[in-house]
């Protein structure tokens, strides 16, 4: 008697990247960058100084468009990597990560509000923090929905 072996991938296998995670985080990061750069441009037109005194580092730090791009993209990329790991575990992990990401974004908005040299700068930079967090939460939600659809079809 012969037994045919079947190989199946488990959620924790080191298979190819989850296309749902890549797609959702790419779209989310792009949307956050467009909104944040637009906010930066609007602030510049409204004479916001975009100068902050961060809690760490040099005082009177000027936030230019490159810094806006990097500080939007780098945290989003870190979140995307964690999201890829969470998506391999379960929907619950994805939901927890989305919640933590949203809380971190809202909490981090306090920094620019406290350190901005003018009100417009503080409000615009805080809005950028929240925008990036909201885009991440939406991206994670899309991964959760795709994961549920796969589970139903399998």
């Amino acid at each position: 008697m012969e037994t045919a072996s079947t190989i199946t991938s488990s959620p924790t296998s080191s298979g190819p990247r989850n296309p749902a995670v890549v797609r959702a985080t790419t779209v989310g990061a792009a949307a956050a960058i467009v909104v944040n750069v637009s906010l930066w441009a609007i602030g510049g037109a409204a004479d916001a100084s975009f100068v902050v005194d961060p809690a760490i580092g040099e005082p009177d730090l000027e936030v230019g468009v490159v810094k806006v791009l990097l500080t939007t993209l780098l945290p989003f990329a870190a979140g995307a990597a964690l999201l890829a790991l969470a998506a391999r575990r379960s929907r619950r992990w994805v939901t927890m990560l989305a919640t933590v990401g949203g809380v971190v974004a809202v909490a981090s908005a306090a920094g620019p509000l406290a350190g901005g040299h003018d009100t417009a700068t503080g409000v615009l930079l805080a809005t950028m923090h929240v925008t990036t967090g909201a885009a991440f939460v939406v991206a994670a939600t899309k991964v959760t929905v795709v994961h549920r659809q796969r589970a139903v079809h399998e």
Side-chain angles (χ1 to χ4, degrees):
M1 181 171 195
E2 224 175 279
T3 307
S5 79
T6 58
I7 299 174
T8 60
S9 65
S10 69
T12 57
S13 70
S14 61
R17 288 190 171 122
N18 183 337
V21 172
V22 174
R23 184 174 36 256
T25 56
T26 300
V27 170
I33 286 170
V34 167
V35 171
N36 287 348
V37 168
S38 297
L39 287 170
W40 181 84
I42 290 166
D47 290 330
S49 69
F50 285 110
V51 176
V52 296
D53 286 330
I56 305 171
E58 297 286 325
D60 299 335
L61 175 71
E62 186 169 349
V63 179
V65 71
V66 173
K67 194 169 293 284
V68 169
L69 286 167
L70 290 175
T71 56
T72 300
L73 187 58
L74 293 177
F76 213 99
L82 292 172
L83 185 58
L85 294 172
R88 290 180 175 200
R89 302 281 296 183
S90 70
R91 289 187 306 255
R92 181 176 294 164
W93 280 69
V94 170
T95 302
M96 287 188 323
L97 182 62
T99 302
V100 168
V103 169
V104 167
V106 170
S108 72
L113 287 173
H117 278 213
D118 55 87
T119 303
T121 294
V123 168
L124 286 166
L125 291 175
T127 302
M128 291 179 197
H129 283 238
V130 173
T131 297
T132 302
F136 179 76
V137 169
V138 169
T141 302
K142 295 298 183 187
V143 169
T144 302
V145 169
V146 170
H147 188 62
R148 283 185 191 148
Q149 289 172 346
R150 276 196 189 139
V152 169
H153 291 107
E154 290 178 354

